[in-house]
Amino acid sequence: MTAALAGLRVLDVSTLFAGPMAATMLGDFGADVVKVEHPRGDPVRTHGASKDGVGLWGKVVGRNKRGVTLNLSDAAGQEVFRRLAAGADVVIENFRPGTLERWGLGYEELSRDNPGLVLVRVTGFGQFGPYSSRPGFGTLAEAMSGFAAITGEPDGPPTLPPFGLADGISALTAAYATLAALRARDATGRGQVVDLAIIEPILTVVGPQPTVYDATGQVQQRTGNRSANNAPRNTYRTRDGRWVAISTSSQNIAERVVRLVGHPEYVDEPWFASGAERARHADELDEAVGSWVAERDRDEVVRAFEEAQAAVAPIYDVRDVVDDPQFAALGTLVRVPDPELGSVLMQNVLFRLSDTPGEIRSAGPRLGEHTEQVLGELGYGADEVADLRRRGAL
């Protein structure tokens, strides 16, 4: 069965997370992704945990990619890249603005040989503006978007996520932007530049804060696990020392929860009919729900909520995720064969297509594993590849 993005050639010359993850998502659905790394390697190879000296994060982010090494600051390496880009549909990069142009590899130069090329530029602050030359990471976007300001306890500090949230959101956005640009190319025959600033997608995800501020002057504050829009909404500790999360975003769910925990009288209170009003009574509702939960083990709580058709979820750590039957039924985690590690367990593709499903065909490659293969496809002979290595271009 033909993959959805079969025939699409992507050059991933970005590093670390947002750009490479966008390329991974395209590769998951059949794009031929060539990962172009400096001979030192993408820093993701040394980020986080490793096994037998092999970085595990690189195995995930590098999946479904062929790996080549290329020194883009070297004239010979630049020429190899031009030849690669001439046959590509997409180039994804995250150098500081002006870097590709300084190397003679800007969009004007690359599109001269390939007018249909889509160049996806993922940077912290975008290609222009007063901050464009600053180094940018997802952490800065999490700070500047307002996310950190609303995350954490009311009397605690602003809180950053313990994972690459802004990078992940930007990767999803970059993959979407790539497909939008390719769809436009179908109509016009011309490629274009995608300018994605990591500070922007997360600003969209945090909700209508700018709209609310402009209209009302309100500035959202930290509320911990509570919501300003409904209650009860929190995490609650069970008798066996575990935790569950409960949400009551809809009125009927809120009514089911308070009836379940033995307080049907709340339903008749005038304030109970509004989520915002319920939020103003969060202390009272949390006490009712929390005391009921604290008298029961986690599995008993979950069963009772399911029988009452109320919304609850156990708080999982990664061990629970790996063992969960729903994730197993969906195939959310898959074990991928790997010549270095034997196999690698990782998250599956993001969604299921009924006719052209995605697939993880390989874990991330060794550094430069496919250099000879990819350059051979460009017409480079073995002696030419060896000469490029001697010159430091590979």
Side-chain angles (χ1 to χ4, degrees), residues 228-370:
N229 302 310
N230 66 83
R233 192 263 197 181
N234 213 324
T235 59
Y236 304 91
R237 189 181 179 93
T238 60
R239 182 172 59 189
D240 52 355
R242 307 174 87 175
W243 293 84
V244 296
I246 293 170
S247 176
T248 56
S249 295
S250 67
Q251 182 66 25
N252 62 343
I253 295 294
E255 293 176 4
R256 291 171 189 169
V257 169
V258 294
R259 288 191 175 107
L260 173 63
V261 302
H263 288 277
E265 71 278 7
Y266 287 148
V267 176
D268 298 323
E269 294 286 349
W271 53 262
F272 197 83
S274 162
E277 287 297 319
R278 292 199 311 273
R280 294 186 178 96
H281 291 77
D283 287 343
E284 185 177 353
L285 291 169
D286 273 346
E287 172 59 28
V289 174
S291 60
W292 184 90
V293 169
E295 295 173 352
R296 292 159 177 83
D297 291 344
R298 188 187 73 174
D299 290 347
E300 181 184 355
V301 171
V302 171
R303 281 195 304 271
F305 268 72
E306 289 179 346
E307 290 170 1
Q309 299 185 47
V312 68
I315 303 293
Y316 277 178
D317 63 22
V318 69
R319 294 168 295 187
D320 300 308
V321 171
V322 170
D323 292 337
D324 183 81
Q326 181 62 31
F327 285 134
L330 294 173
T332 304
L333 301 176
V334 292
R335 189 166 293 282
V336 182
D338 180 73
E340 290 186 283
L341 297 175
S343 68
V344 184
L345 184 72
M346 65 180 71
Q347 298 94 326
N348 206 341
V349 301
L350 286 171
F351 48 85
R352 286 160 289 281
L353 295 179
S354 61
D355 290 347
T356 54
E359 179 187 15
I360 302 177
R361 301 174 298 281
S362 63
R366 294 185 294 273
L367 180 61
E369 180 177 341
H370 303 98

